[in-house]
Amino acid sequence: MSRSAVAAPYSSPASSLPLFPPGNEAPPTCEVPHFAPVRVRGGRGRLHRLVRHRRRLLAAGLVVTAAALVAAGPNSEAGEPDARRARGHPVAGPVPERQSPRFVAAPVRIADAATVRLLRPGDRIDVVSTGDGGTGGASVLARGVRVTEVPEPVAGAAAADGALVVVSVPREAAHRLVGAGTTARLAVALC
């Protein structure tokens, strides 16, 4: 074996370049060119645009303020919420308490005693005036009043005198019933 054969085991007799094992070839290094930094649009640019458009900024501020006021609701001076006011709706002044009509018990003499025997406490009735002796027109004196008591008839009373029933009515209706009971015959209708 010659000395040249030992020194270049991978060299081919046709070329003077040595052969490298496959996979070791690398391209020559090159320099990366300089370029401007990449800027992402949005974020700060939107804020600047919004500031430039003052009307939109003012409208957005008003919307946020209105939403905060509605969410907070009206409060009384002591810091506790006022239960009489609806939440989110301002009231110009204090809302007056609604007065319910005061009910009184009014005894009413009904012309037909047999009709009164049909009534029980808790029933709802209409009290009707039939006029003098039944010749005049009928008019309703009280609608949907509640029967509170049906007293037992007195032992010596005649059926022609009628029967007594006690109803719960507003004070104004009680005055009408008592006045009509002295001049007209009264009847009832079950509701």
Side-chain angles (χ1 to χ4, degrees):
M1 222 185 188
S2 72
R3 186 174 190 187
S4 65
V6 174
Y10 297 109
S11 46
S12 73
S15 74
S16 63
L17 294 173
L19 293 175
F20 293 104
N24 287 339
E25 302 92 30
T29 60
C30 64
E31 197 162 317
V32 177
H34 290 285
F35 56 89
V38 177
R39 298 187 191 269
V40 178
R41 300 192 82 192
R44 211 171 77 189
R46 288 183 187 162
L47 180 63
H48 287 294
R49 255 183 276 132
L50 189 61
V51 170
R52 282 195 305 258
H53 301 285
R54 290 183 191 145
R55 289 182 187 163
R56 289 181 185 166
L57 180 65
L58 181 62
L62 288 175
V63 167
V64 170
T65 304
L69 288 175
V70 168
N75 292 330
S76 63
E77 291 78 22
E80 299 174 6
D82 194 0
R84 292 176 301 191
R85 293 182 180 187
R87 189 171 176 162
H89 298 283
V91 178
V95 178
E97 294 287 328
R98 184 175 175 180
Q99 298 291 329
S100 62
R102 229 173 129 200
F103 285 89
V104 296
V108 179
R109 183 156 301 275
I110 305 300
D112 188 8
T115 306
V116 174
R117 284 196 300 261
L118 297 173
L119 300 177
R120 300 285 177 259
D123 288 345
R124 296 280 179 174
I125 59 170
D126 291 342
V127 180
V128 181
S129 170
T130 58
D132 291 330
T135 58
S139 63
V140 178
L141 299 175
R143 292 184 188 274
V145 295
R146 188 173 57 85
V147 175
T148 57
E149 188 179 349
V150 182
E152 293 294 324
V154 180
D161 292 338
L164 192 65
V165 64
V166 180
V167 294
S168 176
V169 293
R171 187 176 295 273
E172 297 80 25
H175 294 269
R176 285 194 311 263
L177 288 174
V178 171
T182 59
T183 60
R185 294 175 51 96
L186 299 181
V188 294
L190 286 165
C191 297

